[in-house]
Structures are given as structure tokens and as C-alpha cells.
Amino acid sequence: MALEQPQYTVEATKNGIEFRRYEPYLVVECDRRDIADLRVASNAGFRSLFNYISGENAARQKVAMTVPVQQVPSGDGWAISFVVPREFYQLGAPTPTSRNVSVREVPGGLVAALRFRGIWGSASFEKQSQKLLDSLAAEGIETEGEVFSAVYNPPLTPPPLRRNEVLVRIRQRV
């Protein structure tokens, strides 16, 4: 069974980069700006978010797992998030009970995405982020905000089969 993910359309593909138009979507997010290492922050945030979707929220409601798990630079650390299923968009997601978990809307817009396989962590994030930014700069494409990452597979998935991405908002059409 495929897991739900944010809705987007691919407007163009160039040099391995997909230019996607995302619809707005909700995320439930755990602030781990106190942890600089991406993998450590993600593991810590994942536990809090998993508790939230398992019913540790004001409604005591279970929320379906979605993909990807996103990691956005935040302060000296990271904000780790799960995408909220579309069924909650109109009524709102259950209110978190943990003080470092919140729900926020991610605005729609144009995003450049570079997909890669293999081990995921701070080193691969930095390497792939630089590759994405260099490719966009070579094309004269202006970015907006920080590069963030998206992980689509469970940790036990063999590295060659994993889908990872680095993404950044861009200012103009391609």
C-alpha cells in the first residue's frame, strides 16, 4: 500500500532536477533546534512525531503515516516533520500535547528537487544540497529559503533502494 504524500505536479526536469509545483499542505513538526547532527535530530524528532500519530494528541486520535519525513534547518538544529493526511486539511489536525510538537501549513509553490539514493545523514545532505544549489546557480535560477531534505523509506530499507531528496523553493518558473 502506497503512503500518502503532498500533492505536486512536475513542471519540468533538467539535469536530474525536478521542478515541482506543490499544493499547500499541513505538517506536524518537532523542533529539534538543539541538535545539530541531522541523523540524531531526525531520530529524536521522529519519536515525538510517531507518538503524536499514535494518539498522543488532544483528541487521542491516530493519524495515518505519510511520506516523506522532512528535515528543515532551524536555528542550530533541525525541525523534523511528518505530512498530515489530506483528510485533516479542512477540519485541522489534532492538537499536539507535547510542547515541542506543533502543526503548521506549508504554503504551495515552486520547488526544485534533487533525488538521490544511499545513506542519508549530515554528510550526504551537505553534498547533495551543494550539488542542487550549484546546478540551480549555473542555470541562473534564484532560490528562496533554506535547502531541506525529505526521506521516503524506513531505516531498514537497503541504501541502494532508498529515496532521499534535497529540495529548495525557487523564485521563478523554469
Side-chain angles (χ1 to χ4, degrees), residues 9 14 32-33 45 62 80 92-93 164 168 171:
T9 56
K14 190 170 190 177
R32 296 314 316 231
R33 70 180 70 210
K62 291 190 179 205
I80 312 302
N164 305 306
V168 67
R171 293 182 189 241

Side-chain angles (χ1 to χ4, degrees), residues 104-123:
R104 73 175 175 90
E105 181 176 6
V106 176
L110 194 56
V111 173
L114 177 63
R115 197 179 287 198
F116 65 99
R117 299 194 183 284
I119 300 296
W120 163 88
S122 293

Side-chain angles (χ1 to χ4, degrees), residues 8 12-20 22 111-117 120 124-136 147-152 162-170:
Y8 65 85
T13 302
K14 190 170 190 177
N15 299 324
I17 297 172
E18 281 187 353
F19 296 91
R20 302 173 181 169
Y22 277 88
V111 173
L114 177 63
R115 197 179 287 198
F116 65 99
R117 299 194 183 284
W120 163 88
S124 60
F125 174 77
E126 291 300 324
K127 178 182 176 185
Q128 297 299 327
S129 294
Q130 196 59 56
K131 184 176 175 182
L132 174 62
L133 292 173
D134 289 348
S135 294
L136 295 172
V147 175
F148 60 100
S149 74
V151 177
Y152 287 81
R162 292 181 186 174
R163 175 183 174 188
N164 305 306
E165 296 176 342
V166 287
L167 306 97
V168 67
R169 288 186 173 271
I170 59 175

Side-chain angles (χ1 to χ4, degrees), residues 28 32 43 46 57 65 78 84 91 101 122 126 133 153 156:
V28 59
R32 296 314 316 231
N43 287 339
F46 186 92
N57 54 63
M65 183 69 185
W78 298 88
V84 175
L91 301 175
V101 175
S122 293
E126 291 300 324
L133 292 173
N153 304 102
L156 296 179

